[in-house]
Amino acid sequence: MAGAASALFLLDIKGRVLICRDYRGDVSPLQAERFFTKFIEKEGDTESQDPVVYDKGVSYMFIQHNNVYLMIASRQNCNAASLLLFLHRVVDVFKHYFEELEEESLRDNFVVVYELLDEMMDFGYPQYTEAQILSEFIKTDAYRMEVTQRPPMAVTNAVSWRSEGIQYRKNEVFLDVVESVNMLVNSNGQIVRSDVVGALKMRTYLSGMPECKLGLNDRILLEAQGRSTKGKTIDLEDIKFHQCVRLARFENDRTISFIPPDGSFDLMTYRLSTQVKPLIWVEAQVERHSRSRVEMTVKARSQFKERSTATNVEIELPVPYDAANPNIRTSMGSAAYAPENDALLWKIKSFPGNKEYMMRAEFSLPSITAEDATPDRKAPIHVKFEIPYFTVSGIQVCVYEISCLLRKTMDIIYLPYFHAFFFIVNGCVSEEFS
């Protein structure tokens, strides 16, 4: 078993200990405070430093949130990544209780903080860290705390992310696929880099302890089952599951089996390398006329099928900082000058596939310029849009089984959603989706 934490410290922005929870008695608060005060004075910006530091036989692991540092100290050969993840979970739990984690909220609720730290870690080993479960038996009323006589089943059960006794009159499951794409395209239209990052987001309103089983059009799964891979298949990389997923079963047959938490959660995140073309291509031509005015001609073309439609399209085009008196004409949507951003914002509410729209704009420039005037900046063209019911990777989710106690009705709704953003820099197109 990996080494355990010796103590957990909550420090202010100057490195002074606000709250300390000693689990093993081998690292004193004074020792940790002296170390961290010297460390931040020496290193300056701790955000740019390594989050793990070894000093005089003690390993210090820390993160910063607002004006508070959270630090774990250990004299053992501990799993640093696990303890750093634990610190992030502590932040989530505190935010659940206090709305926001900062020095003032810690000072106002230090009794609850100690109680939470006692429940989240035992003798230096992380325990359950689900805020919804902790809130069932650690209840706060102003500055008082109430503890129920019997902890919920999730505390003593292997299913720490779900409470017992959940019942719904109508059982529902919502599954969304949200993908983001990072793309770099050169001025010749060739894709230099392209990868897709996606997430399977679920909202479950199911009674009892439901068993869910999903499958994907994963090439490895289909080959293992001896099925044809001629259709659309994907090669998932860097898969990360929610803790509810049974990893051993996924390794054996590549099916996702789990008892879901109640409410919203990310079932899985993934990444895959795939070549996709820019879905909305923007071309801009800029002409200067004897330093007195500048004229822009912009073409926006959708490069996806007609059955899909991009919504809430926003194209932000940079203009000279000293431009004035805009005259703008568009074939679709509306455009406005945003002088605070030195940009022209073109908005199109609905952009169907295989369509092309144009915009022309003319700005006047000052007739006199400074001799030491800086050259015009080559700012990028930003494009934001969303495409409902569309995924770049072609991922497909198959619901094998959802068994729910006290089942009355079951609705399964699948809504993939696609968000996009790309920009052009110096003749190169870089595309990101978020």
Side-chain angles (χ1 to χ4, degrees), residues 143-331:
Y143 300 107
R144 295 184 303 167
M145 174 196 63
E146 297 179 2
V147 180
T148 58
Q149 296 296 324
R150 186 176 71 89
M153 180 181 179
V155 174
T156 57
N157 193 324
V159 187
S160 61
W161 53 87
R162 186 179 180 88
S163 303
E164 62 177 348
I166 297 175
Q167 295 187 20
Y168 289 99
R169 296 184 62 182
K170 184 178 182 181
N171 293 294
E172 296 179 309
V173 177
F174 299 85
L175 175 61
D176 299 334
V177 179
V178 179
E179 291 187 342
S180 61
V181 176
N182 299 311
M183 178 186 298
L184 180 64
V185 181
N186 62 21
S187 57
N188 297 324
Q190 297 174 338
I191 298 176
V192 178
R193 177 177 58 86
S194 174
D195 60 81
V196 179
V197 178
L200 267 64
K201 297 180 177 292
M202 293 193 72
R203 284 182 296 145
T204 59
Y205 306 100
L206 302 173
S207 302
M209 287 289 179
E211 291 278 351
C212 302
K213 190 176 181 181
L214 305 178
L216 304 173
N217 57 331
D218 184 12
R219 183 181 59 82
I220 297 178
L221 169 62
L222 298 179
E223 290 180 350
Q225 296 176 345
R227 296 164 58 184
S228 173
T229 59
K230 294 181 179 179
K232 181 65 175 180
T233 61
I234 57 176
D235 293 314
L236 297 178
E237 305 172 15
D238 297 339
I239 303 175
K240 181 181 178 182
F241 289 109
H242 187 275
Q243 61 177 324
C244 66
V245 176
R246 298 181 178 91
L247 298 180
R249 186 169 299 181
F250 180 79
E251 291 294 334
N252 290 334
D253 56 15
R254 305 291 287 189
T255 57
I256 305 173
S257 177
F258 59 99
I259 297 176
D262 188 48
S264 302
F265 67 102
D266 286 353
L267 176 65
M268 181 185 79
T269 59
Y270 59 89
R271 182 183 65 85
L272 56 93
S273 299
T274 183
Q275 295 290 327
V276 295
K277 62 182 179 181
L279 298 177
I280 294 183
W281 183 266
V282 177
E283 298 179 2
Q285 294 182 354
V286 181
E287 296 183 12
R288 287 182 173 271
H289 300 276
S290 64
R291 293 183 175 270
S292 62
R293 63 187 178 93
V294 60
E295 186 176 354
M296 302 177 62
T297 303
V298 183
K299 292 182 181 180
R301 183 174 67 255
S302 57
Q303 301 189 126
F304 48 86
K305 296 181 179 180
E306 295 180 357
R307 64 170 178 264
S308 297
T309 301
T311 61
N312 302 321
V313 180
E314 295 184 4
I315 304 175
E316 184 179 300
L317 302 112
V319 299
Y321 69 92
D322 53 354
N325 302 323
N327 182 14
I328 307 169
R329 302 182 304 275
T330 64
S331 63

Side-chain angles (χ1 to χ4, degrees), residues 4-276:
S6 298
L8 189 148
F9 304 94
L10 303 176
L11 309 100
D12 64 12
I13 199 67
K14 296 183 178 179
R16 294 172 297 195
V17 175
L18 299 173
I19 293 177
C20 166
R21 182 61 181 92
D22 190 354
Y23 294 104
R24 305 180 74 89
D26 52 2
V27 177
S28 67
L30 182 60
Q31 177 184 358
E33 182 174 316
R34 286 177 177 174
F35 156 76
F36 200 71
T37 302
K38 293 180 180 179
F39 175 74
I40 60 177
E41 290 177 353
K42 177 181 178 182
E43 303 295 339
D45 183 11
T46 56
E47 292 185 358
S48 62
Q49 303 300 323
D50 294 334
V52 181
V53 180
Y54 183 79
D55 180 72
K56 297 180 180 179
V58 181
S59 298
Y60 298 94
M61 292 138 283
F62 66 91
I63 63 173
Q64 181 181 2
H65 184 83
N66 292 336
N67 59 352
V68 176
Y69 289 106
L70 296 88
M71 182 175 70
I72 285 179
S74 177
R75 287 192 176 275
Q76 301 187 21
N77 183 18
C78 58
N79 187 331
S82 175
L83 294 179
L84 287 172
L85 175 60
F86 175 78
L87 290 178
H88 286 283
R89 292 290 182 87
V90 171
V91 171
D92 294 339
V93 170
F94 286 174
K95 289 173 66 176
H96 175 81
Y97 273 84
F98 314 139
E99 296 296 333
E100 188 54 78
L101 172 58
E102 54 187 21
E103 181 179 344
E104 184 179 356
S105 64
L106 292 176
R107 293 184 183 277
D108 291 342
N109 299 280
F110 70 93
V111 175
V112 182
V113 170
Y114 276 110
E115 182 64 22
L116 289 170
L117 295 181
D118 283 341
E119 299 295 341
M120 296 178 69
M121 179 170 280
D122 183 20
F123 198 55
Y125 293 101
Q127 303 300 306
Y128 37 88
T129 57
E130 292 289 334
Q132 292 182 348
I133 301 301
L134 288 167
S135 62
E136 291 191 12
F137 64 100
I138 298 181
K139 302 181 182 295
T140 57
D141 183 11
Y143 300 107
R144 295 184 303 167
M145 174 196 63
E146 297 179 2
V147 180
T148 58
Q149 296 296 324
R150 186 176 71 89
M153 180 181 179
V155 174
T156 57
N157 193 324
V159 187
S160 61
W161 53 87
R162 186 179 180 88
S163 303
E164 62 177 348
I166 297 175
Q167 295 187 20
Y168 289 99
R169 296 184 62 182
K170 184 178 182 181
N171 293 294
E172 296 179 309
V173 177
F174 299 85
L175 175 61
D176 299 334
V177 179
V178 179
E179 291 187 342
S180 61
V181 176
N182 299 311
M183 178 186 298
L184 180 64
V185 181
N186 62 21
S187 57
N188 297 324
Q190 297 174 338
I191 298 176
V192 178
R193 177 177 58 86
S194 174
D195 60 81
V196 179
V197 178
L200 267 64
K201 297 180 177 292
M202 293 193 72
R203 284 182 296 145
T204 59
Y205 306 100
L206 302 173
S207 302
M209 287 289 179
E211 291 278 351
C212 302
K213 190 176 181 181
L214 305 178
L216 304 173
N217 57 331
D218 184 12
R219 183 181 59 82
I220 297 178
L221 169 62
L222 298 179
E223 290 180 350
Q225 296 176 345
R227 296 164 58 184
S228 173
T229 59
K230 294 181 179 179
K232 181 65 175 180
T233 61
I234 57 176
D235 293 314
L236 297 178
E237 305 172 15
D238 297 339
I239 303 175
K240 181 181 178 182
F241 289 109
H242 187 275
Q243 61 177 324
C244 66
V245 176
R246 298 181 178 91
L247 298 180
R249 186 169 299 181
F250 180 79
E251 291 294 334
N252 290 334
D253 56 15
R254 305 291 287 189
T255 57
I256 305 173
S257 177
F258 59 99
I259 297 176
D262 188 48
S264 302
F265 67 102
D266 286 353
L267 176 65
M268 181 185 79
T269 59
Y270 59 89
R271 182 183 65 85
L272 56 93
S273 299
T274 183
Q275 295 290 327
V276 295

